[in-house]
Amino acid sequence: QVQLVESGGGLVQAGDSLRLSCAASGRAFSSYAMGWFRQAPGKEREFVAAISGNGGTTYYANSVKGRFTISRDNAKNTVYLQMNSLKPEDTAVYYCAASRALIGYRNPNLYTSWGQGTQVTVSS
């Protein structure tokens, strides 16, 4: 398994941008599909974006498509989430997660490693 640490969260205004990073330790990072999820207070954890091990395939939730971009640098064992045009409804704790396969990428139960989360707050 890999250990994951997120960073880059913060308090921003609507329309601003943030880039989240998720650093992985452990072996064979490129063999893992990676996902970003978020959880707002009182709500279930929801899928945001996912990327294949080689970075060639990406998926997004409809709510973030066109505003968020997931990418990865396997040489740095890091996955990113570039968030543009942020909205107050994007406010949540954001988690990165690792899975051995991209199949079922929307299902958090299929991810085997999780970071501790980073808070993103978007004010109106």
Side-chain angles (χ1 to χ4, degrees), residues 7-9 18-22 36 79-81 83 94 118 120:
S7 62
L18 274 177
R19 188 176 80 156
L20 305 183
S21 299
C22 174
W36 284 98
V79 62
Y80 305 98
L81 186 68
M83 307 186 294
Y94 283 71
T118 186
V120 172

Side-chain angles (χ1 to χ4, degrees), residues 13-94:
Q13 294 186 333
D16 285 350
S17 298
L18 274 177
R19 188 176 80 156
L20 305 183
S21 299
C22 174
S25 59
R27 303 175 68 177
F29 174 69
S30 62
S31 70
Y32 288 88
M34 299 296 296
W36 284 98
F37 289 78
R38 66 187 181 186
Q39 189 166 18
K43 296 188 177 181
E44 293 186 353
R45 191 167 297 190
E46 66 170 352
F47 167 75
V48 175
I51 189 167
S52 60
N54 65 6
T57 302
T58 57
Y59 297 101
Y60 297 94
N62 287 338
S63 58
V64 306
K65 199 173 294 183
R67 299 188 298 122
F68 290 12
T69 302
I70 188 171
S71 62
R72 65 190 297 160
D73 185 338
N74 286 341
K76 296 183 178 179
N77 280 15
T78 302
V79 62
Y80 305 98
L81 186 68
Q82 177 67 43
M83 307 186 294
N84 299 329
S85 302
L86 283 161
K87 304 175 181 180
E89 51 264 43
D90 295 318
T91 295
V93 177
Y94 283 71

